[in-house]
Amino acid sequence: MKKIKGALALMLAAALILSGCGANSGKGALKDIVIAEPVHLIAYLPLYVAIDKGYFKEEGLNVKLITATGGAHVTSVVSGDAWGVIGGPDSIQIANKGSKDPITAVVNVVNRANVYLMANKKLKLKGNSDKDLAAFLKGKSIAAGRYGGSPDLLTRWLLLKVGLNPNKDVKLDEPADATAVVSLVAQGKDDIANGAEPQINDGIKKGAWGEPFYGFPSLGDYAYSVISTKESTIKKDPQTVQKVVNAVLKGLKVVNDNKKEAYKILKKEFPTASDASLKASMDRAYKDQLWSKDGYISPAAVAKPLDVVKKTGIYTQGYQYSKLVDMSFVKKAQKK
């Protein structure tokens, strides 16, 4: 934990030093804020677009991202190292347990369970029923991602759904680094992986696996990644929260309505990825209706990830939508 905090402190210091160079002298200094992400994902494109297109700066903010793996994206907000976080409401609720200053979700970004299961090319799934899936998954070694993280929880949930015991019927490999799942399957250490883009096409390119055999976006509306900040921040500085929401909504609009412009920014964020991989990733995202259309986090979309953590036994103490989610800023932005 000390190493994680030290790394976060270094990333935060670097972010703040860099942010000083971005102040708009013509309109006064921009307010610096840091948003933490668990991994650099194509799914977070609306946030990247809002930064690249200057939507935050139009609101008077200078936003810097830090990538904090191993669950540190949420704890960085708890510790005050980051203003906000992009992640699941389930992770937020778990972190809020016993907190006097809970983290609250203020705008939706990814409204689908943005992960998929891929298998070693030697393995072939026959049929799509729960019985077929159970037979296919039983006895396999699965790179499911960090214990307690969304990919891991969804993997456990699916195993339970098809009648398997996650602790007995399969071997779950749970690396803290989400990008590790590619090498684990490529090297033959695991048979199956749970991952998202760009890991999916990276694995296809490296011959680790073929196209996903199961997609969790099939669960429908699912608040997978939302922007959240502390309750105290909302109370003390609602103006900044509103500005963040305004900028993210603009980013969502570009991604949903202007695919060509969104792709240009995607290329900047993932410069080493091939055009073919990025285009395939974008096609998958649009096909699965990945991104929220309006930033709204519905009660039903929150219920699904919280049901997953409940059924997997990770968190069983319940939640209150009204305390976990604050849609007043989205509604105010929409009125304009």
Side-chain angles (χ1 to χ4, degrees):
M1 183 58 70
K2 289 182 178 178
K3 290 182 179 179
I4 291 175
K5 288 183 177 179
L8 282 170
L10 287 173
M11 287 188 285
L12 178 61
L16 293 179
I17 290 171
L18 288 170
S19 68
C21 301
N24 187 335
S25 59
K27 296 183 179 179
L30 301 174
K31 179 173 181 176
D32 302 318
I33 68 169
V34 174
I35 294 177
E37 60 177 5
V39 65
H40 206 56
L41 287 177
I42 286 173
Y44 300 158
L45 184 57
L47 179 58
Y48 306 152
V49 167
I51 294 172
D52 185 90
K53 297 284 286 182
Y55 296 147
F56 285 108
K57 290 186 176 180
E58 289 175 3
E59 297 286 342
L61 303 175
N62 192 51
V63 171
K64 291 296 176 181
L65 289 177
I66 58 171
T67 302
T69 61
H73 61 305
V74 177
T75 57
S76 65
V77 180
V78 176
S79 66
D81 288 327
W83 178 93
V85 59
I86 183 167
D90 48 339
S91 297
I92 296 164
Q93 179 63 27
I94 294 170
N96 284 344
K97 182 181 177 182
S99 174
K100 294 181 180 179
D101 190 9
I103 302 171
T104 302
V106 294
V107 62
N108 202 355
V109 178
V110 183
N111 197 42
R112 291 289 186 274
N114 175 47
V115 286
Y116 306 75
L117 291 178
M118 292 72 63
N120 181 305
K121 283 187 173 181
K122 296 178 182 179
L123 301 174
K124 300 294 181 183
L125 172 64
K126 298 178 180 179
N128 295 310
S129 69
D130 283 358
K131 185 177 180 180
D132 294 327
L133 276 171
F136 182 71
L137 294 169
K138 190 172 184 178
K140 302 297 191 301
S141 179
I142 306 172
R146 173 181 63 85
Y147 176 75
S150 295
D152 178 67
L153 292 173
L154 283 163
T155 301
R156 290 171 175 273
W157 171 85
L158 180 63
L159 290 167
L160 291 168
K161 178 178 179 292
V162 299
L164 298 179
N165 185 324
N167 299 316
K168 295 181 180 180
D169 293 327
V170 300
K171 176 183 176 293
L172 290 180
D173 203 350
E174 299 170 314
D177 184 356
T179 63
V181 300
V182 178
S183 59
L184 286 171
V185 176
Q187 294 169 13
K189 294 181 179 179
D190 289 315
D191 306 305
I192 293 169
N194 189 322
E197 297 291 8
Q199 284 79 42
I200 296 172
N201 272 287
D202 185 27
I204 292 174
K205 184 179 179 181
K206 292 179 178 178
W209 51 59
E211 283 291 318
F213 67 85
Y214 186 88
F216 290 95
S218 61
L219 295 175
D221 287 352
Y222 190 110
Y224 191 79
S225 296
V226 299
I227 302 289
S228 307
T229 191
K230 284 182 178 180
E231 182 182 90
S232 59
T233 300
I234 294 174
K235 290 180 178 179
K236 295 175 183 178
D237 190 12
Q239 294 85 2
T240 296
V241 180
Q242 187 66 63
K243 291 175 180 179
V244 168
V245 170
N246 292 345
V248 171
L249 291 176
K250 291 178 182 177
L252 281 169
K253 183 171 177 56
V254 170
V255 171
N256 283 306
D257 298 345
N258 192 336
K259 296 180 182 180
K260 186 175 181 180
E261 186 63 24
Y263 185 75
K264 287 180 182 178
I265 297 167
L266 183 69
K267 284 279 290 179
K268 292 181 184 179
E269 291 295 326
F270 299 91
T272 61
S274 68
D275 282 338
S277 291
L278 291 180
K279 287 178 180 177
S281 299
M282 289 291 274
D283 288 344
R284 191 189 314 280
Y286 287 119
K287 175 179 176 291
D288 290 337
Q289 300 178 356
L290 188 64
W291 293 294
S292 170
K293 301 292 185 184
D294 55 10
Y296 192 78
I297 307 169
S298 72
V302 171
K304 290 178 183 177
L306 269 297
D307 183 58
V308 166
V309 296
K310 180 181 179 180
K311 287 183 176 175
T312 54
I314 299 297
Y315 180 83
T316 59
Q317 297 184 26
Y319 71 100
Q320 285 184 264
Y321 172 83
S322 60
K323 291 186 177 181
L324 184 58
V325 176
D326 184 344
M327 286 290 90
S328 64
F329 300 96
V330 168
K331 290 177 181 178
K332 186 174 180 179
Q334 290 174 342
K335 288 180 180 179
K336 293 182 179 180

